[in-house]
Amino acid sequence: MTDFDYMQEALALAKEAAEMDEVPVGALIVRRGEIIARAKNERELSRLATHHAEIVAIEEACRALGGWRLPESTLYVTLEPCPMCAGAIIHARIERVVFGAHDEKNGAFGGAFDLSQMPNFFRPVIEGGVCEEECRQILSAYFRQKRKK
């Protein structure tokens, strides 16, 4: 599968999140061509501030592999990770991050700032803008609907 294919899977998870009245962000973690974790935002459902899609996916992947390090892994996520998620990605040693929509206000991999460039940190390879328009549209539609209510 290609980055596009994996991002389409993440977008399907984002759509599920929107249907649950969660901010529509989907994420998955792939290792050696196998999807080892799938997640979507669950903050409203779980009532936990930390349950962004990336964090939930990292937790699931750690359970699947039996440890806190996620070598040879790629995280696909529909929105550029925030500082909390970027920190978790770095600490989990995820080698590559592919995201859809850039986040100029809160993005921590180049949007507002770039945690991957901090000295003495593990540095994942970052690729943004994959399926960006589709990722941005689902977020825009969700927030447009919220403002109408």
Side-chain angles (χ1 to χ4, degrees), residues 25-59:
V25 177
L28 51 102
I29 297 178
V30 176
R31 184 171 188 247
R32 298 179 184 159
E34 178 186 350
I35 298 173
I36 60 170
R38 288 179 171 84
K40 54 191 167 287
N41 272 358
E42 295 180 359
R43 290 190 308 171
E44 299 301 327
L45 176 68
S46 68
R47 301 202 182 281
L48 295 171
T50 57
H51 274 203
H52 290 193
E54 300 96 310
I55 299 295
V56 177
I58 289 169
E59 290 174 354

Side-chain angles (χ1 to χ4, degrees), residues 59-132:
E59 290 174 354
E60 184 178 316
C62 288
R63 281 191 294 276
L65 296 182
W68 62 268
R69 291 178 191 89
L70 300 174
E72 303 176 66
S73 297
T74 298
L75 171 82
Y76 292 88
V77 62
T78 55
L79 179 64
E80 180 180 352
C82 72
M84 173 184 70
C85 294
I89 289 162
I90 289 166
H91 287 290
R93 310 295 197 271
I94 294 173
E95 291 183 9
R96 185 168 170 249
V97 177
V98 178
F99 67 84
H102 288 82
D103 186 349
E104 294 80 24
K105 293 181 183 178
N106 297 305
F109 284 143
F113 54 93
D114 193 347
L115 273 181
S116 71
Q117 297 305 309
M118 296 292 292
N120 302 318
F121 274 22
F122 174 83
R123 292 185 178 182
V125 173
I126 309 296
E127 297 178 40
V130 175
C131 302
E132 182 164 18

